[in-house]
């Protein structure tokens, strides 16, 4: 694993954007696995900036997002489809038909999981971007007794519901279930880039990357991947001596 420390969030975001942009330049028709949450927003802003300056071309890029809340349509402001459109896709020349996010309104959960899984398998992810939940979740793979392998429906933990309620009017509005890629889907990505920032992530960063590999801390499985770059600011790295 490589650790890249930025002075602050902006610096860390630029480092992450640099790696993503290198991927797009080296392979214009690459498949990017994308994440939502606060962590990747700075990197997305930087990519938009480089696109506007003429340095990046998204016309052949495909994207596959990690997860989506069950029950929210893509027009709902807290859906991850809406997040991706407003934070990245609407501002670059990507073809929306090549951007994939699970359908939060799918009626048949099993069918939606199978459909999404097939998209991941048939395309193959060149670079997967990840944030880290406070409980070590990646995508919405919550702490459990075993690693879930493929796309599945997950019951969100109380901890996650509370953490994500900051973006909803009240806690009761946060969906209780979500579709998420599984651990095997994530681990099959050729490269993985994790972005972490803020002192509130310092403990979990230590546990995930230096603790035992266990489904109780889902991100710890990343220790078994052979191409992981963890990018953080000083605060997030403050407990790992980097
Ligand atoms: C959310 C998402 C994750 C994200 C994580 C951290 O629940 N499902 O994909 O990485 O929580 O979010 P943040 O970056 O806002 O701390």
């Amino acid at each position: 694993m490589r650790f890249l420390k930025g002075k602050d969030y902006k610096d860390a975001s630029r480092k992450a954007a640099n790696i993503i942009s290198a991927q797009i330049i080296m392979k214009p028709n690459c498949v990017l696995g994308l994440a939502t949450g606060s962590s990747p927003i700075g990197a997305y802003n930087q990519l938009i900036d480089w696109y506007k300056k003429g340095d990046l071309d998204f016309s052949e890029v495909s994207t596959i997002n990690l997860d989506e809340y069950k029950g929210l349509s893509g027009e709902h402001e807290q859906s991850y489809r809406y997040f991706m459109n407003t934070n990245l896709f609407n501002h670059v020349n990507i073809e929306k038909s090549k951007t994939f996010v699970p359908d939060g309104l799918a009626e048949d959960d099993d069918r939606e999981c199978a459909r999404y899984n097939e998209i991941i398998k048939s395309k193959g992810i060149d670079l997967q971007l990840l944030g880290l939940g406070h409980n070590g979740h990646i995508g919405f793979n919550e702490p459990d007794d075993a690693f879930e392998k493929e796309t599945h429906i997950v019951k969100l933990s109380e901890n996650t519901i509370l953490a994500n309620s900051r973006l909803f009017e009240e806690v009761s509005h946060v969906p209780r279930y979500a579709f998420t890629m599984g651990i095997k889907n994530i681990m099959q990505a050729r490269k993985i880039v994790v972005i972490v920032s803020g002192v509130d992530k310092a403990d979990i960063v230590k546990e995930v990357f230096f603790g035992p590999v266990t489904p109780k801390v889902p991100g710890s499985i990343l220790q078994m991947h052979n191409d992981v770059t963890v990018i953080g600011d000083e605060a997030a790295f403050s407990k790992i001596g980097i």
Side-chain angles (χ1 to χ4, degrees):
M1 273 184 300
R2 276 185 299 270
F3 289 85
L4 295 182
K5 186 164 74 175
K7 288 196 297 291
D8 51 24
Y9 176 65
K10 193 158 187 236
D11 192 32
S13 296
R14 198 174 52 245
K15 289 187 186 334
N18 254 313
I19 296 178
I20 300 166
S21 93
Q23 174 69 68
I24 298 172
I25 291 164
M26 297 304 283
K27 187 177 175 190
N29 64 346
C30 64
V31 179
L32 301 176
L34 297 181
T36 54
S38 314
S39 307
I41 292 181
Y44 294 154
N45 285 340
Q46 181 65 76
L47 292 174
I48 293 168
D49 196 43
W50 285 333
Y51 162 73
K52 288 191 172 149
K53 289 187 172 131
D55 292 333
L56 272 181
D57 175 13
F58 288 81
S59 61
E60 292 178 54
V61 172
S62 302
T63 65
I64 308 182
N65 260 76
L66 283 165
D67 46 15
E68 178 61 287
Y69 287 117
K70 181 173 167 56
L72 300 192
S73 84
E75 278 84 52
H76 190 291
E77 287 187 14
Q78 296 312 331
S79 73
Y80 287 165
R81 160 55 75 183
Y82 186 90
F83 175 103
M84 290 312 304
N85 286 349
T86 51
N87 285 294
L88 182 62
F89 301 155
N90 289 349
H91 309 287
V92 297
N93 65 333
I94 198 160
E95 273 182 43
K96 287 265 175 67
S97 61
K98 291 195 217 153
T99 67
F100 299 91
V101 181
D103 176 5
L105 292 186
E107 280 174 14
D108 184 329
D109 294 349
D110 291 346
R111 260 180 61 188
E112 178 57 10
C113 291
R115 182 189 75 88
Y116 207 67
N117 221 40
E118 199 41 50
I119 294 171
I120 302 166
K121 271 200 215 153
S122 63
K123 294 188 164 294
I125 296 172
D126 292 298
L127 185 156
Q128 177 67 56
L129 192 60
L130 294 175
L132 216 54
H134 290 95
N135 58 5
H137 74 213
I138 48 178
F140 267 137
N141 290 274
E142 296 282 38
D144 206 343
D145 295 333
F147 291 110
E148 282 272 3
K149 298 191 233 357
E150 302 196 311
T151 309
H152 59 285
I153 276 272
V154 67
K155 186 170 182 355
L156 302 180
S157 71
E158 284 308 315
N159 173 308
T160 298
I161 291 170
L162 213 61
N164 291 5
S165 66
R166 69 186 194 278
L167 303 167
F168 289 79
E169 270 173 38
E170 46 178 290
V171 183
S172 68
H173 291 181
V174 185
R176 268 36 190 175
Y177 291 87
F179 291 99
T180 184
M181 275 188 202
I183 293 294
K184 182 174 162 198
N185 299 132
I186 295 172
M187 289 295 281
Q188 283 182 336
R190 292 182 186 95
K191 283 189 184 57
I192 295 183
V193 174
V194 189
I195 312 182
V196 286
S197 84
V199 70
D200 57 312
K201 294 280 172 78
D203 286 318
I204 198 65
V205 164
K206 186 172 178 196
E207 243 184 288
V208 162
F209 299 108
F210 296 93
V213 175
T214 162
K216 302 280 182 210
V217 184
S220 63
I221 191 79
L222 298 173
Q223 294 180 46
M224 312 292 248
H225 193 283
N226 65 7
D227 192 344
V228 176
T229 306
V230 187
I231 304 177
D233 57 10
E234 288 182 356
F237 281 1
S238 57
K239 300 213 168 147
I240 55 173
I242 287 174

